[in-house]
Amino acid sequence: QKEVEQNSGPLSVPEGAIASLNCTYSDRGSQSFFWYRQYSGKSPELIMFIYSNGDKEDGRFTAQLNKASQYVSLLIRDSQPSDSATYLCAVAPSGGSYIPTFGRGTSLIVHP
Amino acid sequence: DTAVSQTPKYLVTQMGNDKSIKCEQNLGHDTMYWYKQDSKKFLKIMFSYNNKELIINETVPNRFSPKSPDKAHLNLHINSLELGDSAVYFCASRPRQERGEKLFFGSGTQLSVL
């Protein structure tokens, strides 16, 4: 059973702080790693993907991947109230049947 | 133009009924999916389908069946609805079998079984 684990939260941070979201996965064959953001009542939208060990930065977002530890994280710098949402970690294998497996999501609350 | 569209957005029905949810994508994508999201936001794969194969999550009851009349459509049929089927169902599509390709989600169908 392929599993993706996330702390459900809520994670509460003040505006302007760094929010750190974490995810672990069980399938060592995983090759692609994604962070989706989902606002209440809306569909998930991709904010970051990463497939190489290390960091990947895009604006205020940084994804970090450590395949040896089977760990992927998302850092949100200068958090804004508009970042308040559920963040879903998703993991996919290479080739074959490409079926992303999602974690349960972490609820982030950024308070003014 | 909506890339992945689902209908209906809301579906309220009685236990035991049979219902369908339609999904269409106008992106020319090869693969389509159905995910179920429960009240705790857990997004669980139900089916993956492209023009070559259907992959079924073994935990999905056989009351659920995907129907694909063509590459742009993947509808979800549910027979003998149960209370536990209440959830949000998302259709999604993906262009090709390449690493890093994101999923394009529909807006979801909120199913309530009474």
Side-chain angles (χ1 to χ4, degrees):
Chain A
Q1 181 81 11
K2 300 175 183 178
E3 294 185 348
V4 178
E5 299 287 343
Q6 293 182 255
N7 187 326
S8 62
L11 173 65
S12 182
V13 301
E15 185 174 357
I18 296 176
S20 178
L21 305 163
N22 304 314
C23 172
T24 59
Y25 58 94
S26 64
D27 183 10
R28 286 195 173 273
S30 302
Q31 293 293 323
S32 299
F33 307 86
F34 305 84
W35 284 99
Y36 285 81
R37 177 176 61 199
Q38 186 176 25
Y39 292 112
S40 181
K42 301 295 185 181
S43 57
E45 57 178 333
L46 182 73
I47 52 173
M48 290 286 289
F49 79 88
I50 186 169
Y51 48 81
S52 299
N53 275 329
D55 295 358
K56 179 181 179 181
E57 186 174 321
D58 184 1
R60 296 186 296 112
F61 299 96
T62 299
Q64 299 175 317
L65 175 61
N66 184 325
K67 289 186 180 179
S69 300
Q70 296 175 246
Y71 176 92
V72 59
S73 65
L74 178 70
L75 300 178
I76 306 175
R77 291 181 299 281
D78 188 24
S79 296
Q80 301 297 309
S82 59
D83 295 326
S84 298
T86 296
Y87 289 80
L88 302 168
C89 173
V91 172
S94 60
S97 57
Y98 183 94
I99 301 178
T101 299
F102 284 80
R104 290 181 176 271
T106 298
S107 174
L108 173 66
I109 299 172
V110 181
H111 53 86
Chain B
D1 288 340
T2 303
V4 181
S5 60
Q6 290 179 233
T7 54
K9 187 167 178 62
Y10 300 99
L11 182 55
V12 181
T13 189
Q14 299 288 329
M15 273 196 326
N17 285 350
D18 303 337
K19 290 293 179 185
S20 296
I21 305 173
K22 295 184 177 180
C23 178
E24 175 183 4
Q25 53 97 2
N26 61 6
L27 300 167
H29 288 176
D30 290 337
T31 306
M32 298 182 73
Y33 307 84
W34 276 106
Y35 280 88
K36 176 182 179 181
Q37 189 170 46
D38 62 24
S39 58
K40 296 186 178 181
K41 295 288 191 179
F42 186 30
L43 203 59
K44 187 174 180 181
I45 184 69
M46 299 179 72
F47 305 101
S48 166
Y49 184 80
N50 62 25
N51 56 9
K52 297 177 182 178
E53 67 176 334
L54 170 67
I55 299 175
I56 303 172
N57 183 328
E58 60 187 13
T59 67
V60 174
N62 58 15
R63 298 181 294 103
F64 292 79
S65 58
K67 304 288 185 188
S68 181
D70 54 58
K71 183 180 172 181
H73 296 82
L74 184 64
N75 304 323
L76 182 65
H77 295 264
I78 315 170
N79 295 325
S80 302
L81 278 155
E82 301 178 357
L83 293 176
D85 298 333
S86 296
V88 180
Y89 292 83
F90 284 101
C91 176
S93 70
R94 183 171 173 266
R96 64 182 69 83
Q97 301 286 347
E98 287 184 9
R99 183 175 61 179
E101 290 287 349
K102 71 175 184 180
L103 298 185
F104 291 73
F105 283 90
S107 58
T109 296
Q110 172 80 61
L111 172 64
S112 300
V113 182
L114 307 178

